[in-house]
Amino acid sequence: MKKLGILIFLLIIIAAVVFVAGSRYSIKLGNINLAINQDKDILAGKITSFLEDVEFKDFKKAATYHNEEDQKNANIPRLIEEKFLVKPEFLDIIKYEVKEIEIDSSGKRSKVKTRTIFKVLNTGEVKDMEMIFYFQKADDGQWYMQLKSSL
């Protein structure tokens, strides 16, 4: 009976650690990252970093998630205005989260569904928007956001 109690206690501790330190696609304990699905974990990290760059108006860094050819043509402020229907200077991102990541059967294409809550500074209006960003895996194994289909 005592062993069963200890086992249940350990399972509760493990569940708590996973809940606190984990995401939907990996468990992070310090410098150790145990990915449940490595590609989905990479994509979740990329889209989170991208949205953070947009939040802090680092448009040069936001362009780096695209392949080299798209980076040359990327006008991130204009694309943000088209996607959010708000000029970048009036966009105040409050919160964003990854809702779902799908990878096709070839393992080369993916779509990342996000939810972004933002405030339009010149009107005070708060909007809640779901968006899908598309990625493609290049021959070098890196995932790149598709410029024309995402933003």
Side-chain angles (χ1 to χ4, degrees), residues 9-52:
F9 177 74
L10 288 175
L11 288 174
I12 290 171
I13 295 295
I14 290 170
V17 167
V18 169
F19 179 75
V20 171
S23 72
R24 292 172 67 183
Y25 308 108
S26 68
I27 300 167
K28 295 177 178 146
L29 300 171
N31 290 335
I32 299 171
N33 184 20
L34 304 171
I36 298 164
N37 182 316
Q38 189 172 10
D39 282 330
K40 287 184 178 184
D41 187 49
I42 289 168
L43 289 162
K46 282 186 176 279
I47 199 65
T48 300
S49 295
F50 173 77
L51 290 170
E52 183 177 283

Side-chain angles (χ1 to χ4, degrees), residues 47-63:
I47 199 65
T48 300
S49 295
F50 173 77
L51 290 170
E52 183 177 283
D53 293 338
V54 170
E55 176 183 11
F56 289 97
K57 311 295 189 264
D58 189 349
F59 303 132
K60 188 174 182 178
K61 174 97 177 1

Side-chain angles (χ1 to χ4, degrees), residues 3-4 7 9 22 24-25 59 100-101 117 144 147 151:
K3 289 181 183 181
L4 181 62
L7 181 62
F9 177 74
R24 292 172 67 183
Y25 308 108
F59 303 132
E100 183 180 357
I101 298 175
I117 300 171
Y144 294 102
L147 180 64
L151 276 181

Side-chain angles (χ1 to χ4, degrees), residues 119-135:
K119 183 176 184 178
V120 181
L121 294 177
N122 60 337
T123 66
E125 182 181 7
V126 175
K127 294 185 177 186
D128 188 339
M129 185 179 287
E130 288 189 352
M131 293 178 257
I132 295 177
F133 296 90
Y134 295 90
F135 286 81

Side-chain angles (χ1 to χ4, degrees), residues 88-129:
E89 58 269 22
F90 298 125
L91 177 67
D92 181 20
I93 294 178
I94 299 167
K95 179 182 175 183
Y96 46 85
E97 65 179 316
V98 176
K99 299 289 285 181
E100 183 180 357
I101 298 175
E102 290 182 47
I103 298 175
D104 76 346
S105 60
S106 73
K108 298 283 187 185
R109 296 176 299 181
S110 72
K111 65 179 187 177
V112 180
K113 185 176 182 181
T114 64
R115 176 180 179 220
T116 306
I117 300 171
F118 62 95
K119 183 176 184 178
V120 181
L121 294 177
N122 60 337
T123 66
E125 182 181 7
V126 175
K127 294 185 177 186
D128 188 339
M129 185 179 287

